[in-house]
Amino acid sequence: MPTPHSPLDAPGTDPDALRERYRAERDRRIRPEGSRQYEPLAGKFGYYDEDPYAEGEFSREPLRDRVEVLIVGGGFGGLLAGARLRQTGVESVRVVEKGADFGGTWYWNRYPGIHCDIESYIYLPLLEEVGYVPRWKYAPGEEIRQHARAVGETFGLYQDACFRTQVTELRWDEAADEWLVGTDRGDAIRARYVITASGTLSEAKLPGIPGIETYQGHTFHTSRWDYAYTGGDADGNLHKLADKRVALIGTGATAIQCVPHLGADARELYVFQRTPSSVDVRGNRPTDPDWAAALTPGWQRRRRDNFLALVTGGHTAQDLVDDGWTSSARLQQKLVPSDSYQDMPAEERERAYEAADFQKMNEIRARVDAVVDDPDTAELLKPWYRYMCKRPTFSDAYLQTFNRANVTLVDTADSHGVEEITATGVVVGGTTYEVDCIIFGTGFDVGRSGVTSGRLPVHGRGGVTLGEAWQRGPRTLHGFYTHGFPNLFQLGPMQNAASVNYVHILDEQAVHVAEVIAEARECRARYVEPSAAAEQEWVDTIRENSVDLYAFHAECTPGYYNNEGMPRPRNESYGDGPVAFHSLLREWRGGGGMKDVLVDAEPRESE
Ligand SMILES: NC(=O)C1=CN([C@@H]2O[C@H](COP(=O)(O)OP(=O)(O)OC[C@H]3O[C@@H](n4cnc5c(N)ncnc54)[C@H](OP(=O)(O)O)[C@@H]3O)[C@@H](O)[C@H]2O)C=CC1
């Protein structure tokens, strides 16, 4: 029975029936190999990883110099760390980046139609500092990439940056109290502090489909878009596809954005879907110049904070962003009003959240019927899972593309994905779809991305590796630093609190790390390192207060959010959420917490 708070009054929205349908759809897609079903863009697939944007061959002499801070990664995490350090007066900052320029995910992902799915006024960082207001509510990828470059210029981060270079090892030199940083260009750079900001979705992946390596046509991954083959640019006009039959494998957030252009320009387009995305209204629009002119100092922080509070379950009087993300959050608020939130038993609250979810997903499914002409195709495009099981998507052109005569949706759920790839095509349900080109929109390997993946060897005090120190799970203070690894700071979601506007989260982290380093310099600390006791206390806090999402994820359709249907029992995230976490960090900094991580610091004059 629906709860008293339930809005489930439409026919066919019986909660039990929906729950059952969600489970059945999940079970159709689960694969016993879990995340092992994927292949990295390495080894025999290394050619997929080549950088199509870097110009010409590149070589340089190995570096043997010394910097004060070395940052691993030149995406928004690394740029923010660099910018915030510069604001505290640190001169010697070197960013080491695999790409040929700044931008990170926005450097690599340049597929047609690429846009930010979070409002650009809150997603693009440091807008007031750089003096820029994005031209659209949801900015195109190229505008975001140019903004990343502008941050690099504004904060002088180009002067010492190393592009087309990958860090291959970090080793703490105990005698010198500094890090020795090795790279794939033979560098041996000395750095007093190292900040890793290597991203969470930085390693693209391919599905391990039988026969994938036998395909003789043209092929690439969406994060290395081959415009030499397709023609056109991120705005579309892929004119070289006019005589081509194209297969796109994958229907995640990337596919939602590039399918309209492929559909418009390819002779034939086959979209191979395993799980449909939820596709909500986008409503992109140019920035209103009068609104932009009226912005007052601090506007970006206020807007970002307002969005963060809303989408993480807070109750705010105003909704400044007012879009698809916040409307689903407001729906929850309606069903769990702020005045009854505290008094509501947990089970009743969860039922109300679930009811809001059902309502949202019913709207999403109804939209498919309203937009897609062919009822069978519409049925296949309906997502049957809870809203946050997968990254929600937004588009006013994706579903419409399936009304085109040259576009075919091929559902692969019954075979748990594409069955086989031959020399000339893609096989599903015994049918071979002959194609000239296969494009993989198959996403990124979370397990191989970032310092926690263990792919970057990090040797701390006594040569102990981070992997050894974390044998029984990650151990940090606030997610940033680990006992035994002095002067090493990690940016990322682990043991702190993340949210959908991830660049905002990175900025809070960058501010924190920059302030700790500034204090260490001020007090001439020998190094920054949490004590084993402080680290243990934080690990205990995380374990005690993290929200148990296991049951939620176990019910979800597989994807990278739930480790391909095999959710991890432990959630390494601060349970009170990012708003509370950011206050905790501010209070810790303001309340003398930094003293506890500064080793052999000189007392300040005021002390
Ligand atoms: N800010 C923004 O605007 C954007 C952000 N992003 C971010 O990047 C993330 C990744 O998005 P995306 O690149 O789309 O990757 P995803 O991981 O979301 O999607 C991969 C797709 O490939 C499909 N797939 C994998 N293996 C097979 C197979 N064997 N046969 C058929 N299909 C297969 C998956 O199906 P299944 O779902 O069944 O596993 C899924 O549809 C997003 O979640 C988002 O966080 C991406 C684009 C834009």
Side-chain angles (χ1 to χ4, degrees):
M1 284 290 290
T3 68
H5 297 275
S6 170
L8 299 176
D9 44 7
T13 54
D14 165 39
D16 288 332
L18 279 172
R19 281 184 213 116
E20 205 172 304
R21 175 89 195 248
Y22 285 10
R23 276 186 207 124
E25 295 285 347
R26 173 201 63 189
D27 293 347
R28 284 172 78 202
R29 293 172 173 87
I30 285 197
R31 292 175 62 134
E33 327 89 286
S35 51
R36 292 194 317 279
Q37 68 186 280
Y38 296 108
E39 298 278 350
L41 309 193
K44 64 181 174 181
F45 297 118
Y47 60 94
Y48 277 94
D49 193 34
E50 280 165 19
D51 183 346
Y53 321 115
E55 284 170 18
E57 290 298 308
F58 171 72
S59 69
R60 61 167 170 77
E61 288 301 308
L63 295 167
R64 295 277 182 276
D65 58 353
R66 175 177 277 110
V67 293
E68 186 164 10
V69 185
L70 185 136
I71 299 172
V72 184
F76 277 133
L79 283 165
L80 279 160
R84 296 303 183 191
L85 280 165
R86 283 268 194 269
Q87 286 177 324
T88 69
V90 181
E91 294 289 327
S92 170
V93 179
R94 171 174 295 156
V95 180
V96 180
E97 162 58 41
K98 177 180 170 183
D101 203 340
F102 289 124
T105 199
W106 301 101
Y107 175 87
W108 295 108
N109 287 281
R110 303 193 197 186
Y111 54 81
I114 184 167
H115 277 72
C116 185
D117 69 356
I118 300 285
E119 194 200 59
S120 51
Y121 316 129
I122 59 167
Y123 178 85
L124 272 66
L126 300 162
L127 285 174
E128 292 183 69
E129 290 82 346
V130 172
Y132 185 65
V133 177
R135 289 179 291 122
W136 288 82
K137 187 166 171 78
Y138 303 96
E142 185 56 17
E143 186 180 359
I144 304 174
R145 195 173 73 81
Q146 292 304 337
H147 182 67
R149 302 188 72 237
V151 172
E153 294 284 359
T154 305
F155 291 93
L157 298 170
Y158 273 99
Q159 67 201 37
D160 214 7
C162 289
F163 295 114
R164 300 173 83 167
T165 304
Q166 263 185 292
V167 173
T168 51
E169 186 186 73
L170 300 175
R171 192 175 284 276
W172 178 248
D173 179 341
E174 298 207 46
D177 281 342
E178 59 191 10
W179 286 95
L180 193 53
V181 182
T183 76
D184 62 352
R185 299 221 170 250
D187 303 315
I189 305 164
R190 291 188 165 271
R192 186 154 173 67
Y193 302 98
V194 170
I195 302 173
T196 63
S198 37
T200 52
L201 293 170
S202 52
E203 298 291 328
K205 66 183 191 313
L206 294 172
I209 299 168
I212 183 172
E213 68 278 12
T214 64
Y215 181 63
Q216 298 298 307
H218 199 76
T219 178
F220 55 89
H221 190 276
T222 48
S223 65
R224 307 283 187 276
W225 195 272
D226 188 352
Y227 284 107
Y229 179 81
T230 65
D233 56 26
D235 292 329
N237 186 25
L238 311 172
H239 56 92
K240 291 188 182 173
L241 297 182
D243 59 351
K244 300 284 190 295
R245 297 158 305 171
V246 176
L248 175 71
I249 300 183
T251 52
T254 297
I256 265 56
Q257 296 185 337
C258 66
V259 157
H261 294 287
L262 288 170
D265 295 328
R267 188 180 103 201
E268 279 174 56
L269 173 66
Y270 298 97
V271 179
F272 292 87
Q273 166 186 281
R274 184 165 59 190
T275 314
S277 281
S278 69
V279 189
D280 208 346
V281 174
R282 176 69 307 174
N284 199 6
R285 52 185 180 270
T287 301
D288 173 357
D290 295 336
W291 170 82
L295 292 169
T296 54
W299 71 267
Q300 192 182 23
R301 167 164 289 282
R302 290 192 292 277
R303 201 170 176 92
R304 270 189 340 191
D305 287 348
N306 178 263
F307 179 86
L308 184 67
L310 252 174
V311 296
T312 56
H315 290 83
T316 61
Q318 247 188 320
D319 175 2
L320 295 174
V321 170
D322 190 18
D323 72 353
W325 291 104
T326 59
S327 75
S328 56
R330 277 190 280 120
L331 185 62
Q332 285 195 350
Q333 282 192 5
K334 209 167 77 188
L335 300 177
V336 187
S338 51
D339 48 2
S340 61
Y341 179 84
Q342 298 295 348
D343 310 325
M344 231 179 192
E347 203 177 314
E348 195 187 326
R349 198 162 57 209
E350 168 48 24
R351 281 281 174 268
Y353 282 149
E354 188 192 40
D357 203 303
F358 286 152
Q359 183 177 325
K360 182 77 206 169
M361 292 306 281
N362 284 341
E363 285 167 20
I364 298 271
R365 288 186 284 266
R367 181 168 185 245
V368 180
D369 280 328
V371 172
V372 178
D373 298 338
D374 173 47
D376 293 338
T377 306
E379 214 44 48
L380 293 173
L381 285 165
K382 290 179 187 168
W384 296 98
Y385 46 81
R386 282 184 68 167
Y387 188 61
M388 284 310 290
C389 283
K390 281 193 178 286
R391 178 91 176 179
T393 76
F394 306 86
S395 172
D396 299 331
Y398 175 75
L399 295 171
Q400 290 79 348
T401 304
F402 294 95
N403 293 334
R404 299 181 66 103
N406 66 326
V407 177
T408 307
L409 179 69
V410 184
D411 191 67
T412 71
D414 283 332
S415 52
H416 305 271
V418 169
E419 279 161 44
E420 191 187 342
I421 292 181
T422 66
T424 56
V426 180
V427 184
V428 176
T431 303
T432 303
Y433 298 84
E434 302 280 340
V435 288
D436 302 299
C437 173
I438 301 179
I439 304 171
F440 289 96
T442 46
F444 303 88
D445 189 339
V446 184
R448 282 175 61 85
S449 304
V451 76
T452 47
S453 71
R455 289 181 58 236
L456 171 62
V458 181
H459 301 267
R461 188 176 289 115
V464 174
T465 66
L466 206 50
E468 287 161 348
W470 288 0
Q471 249 170 17
R472 290 165 54 213
R475 304 185 59 77
T476 70
L477 173 60
H478 299 151
F480 298 117
Y481 17 52
T482 293
H483 181 69
F485 297 81
N487 287 359
L488 177 67
F489 302 81
Q490 302 152 48
L491 303 193
M494 191 198 51
Q495 295 193 347
N496 49 58
S499 184
V500 292
N501 185 12
Y502 191 55
V503 175
H504 178 193
I505 299 296
L506 287 171
D507 197 8
E508 298 282 348
Q509 296 186 356
V511 165
H512 184 79
V513 165
E515 288 199 20
V516 172
I517 291 178
E519 185 72 7
R521 297 172 88 229
E522 180 81 19
C523 305
R524 297 177 202 284
R526 191 166 159 209
Y527 41 74
V528 179
E529 183 185 3
S531 68
E535 182 183 275
Q536 185 61 48
E537 208 177 310
W538 186 248
V539 171
D540 292 341
T541 303
I542 289 287
R543 303 231 159 119
E544 279 157 24
N545 114 331
S546 67
V547 177
D548 188 358
L549 290 173
Y550 182 83
F552 177 86
H553 283 308
E555 293 286 319
C556 279
T557 192
Y560 76 90
Y561 275 20
N562 69 347
N563 191 29
E564 302 300 329
M566 296 170 192
R568 298 197 168 83
R570 218 163 38 210
N571 172 19
E572 295 286 347
S573 173
Y574 185 66
D576 293 343
V579 174
F581 180 65
H582 298 156
S583 320
L584 180 146
L585 291 182
R586 274 193 292 276
E587 279 162 27
W588 181 86
R589 294 197 300 264
M594 289 197 274
K595 274 199 308 231
D596 298 339
V597 295
L598 304 187
V599 177
D600 291 346
E602 288 174 7
R604 276 179 173 275
E605 273 171 23
S606 56
E607 286 169 342

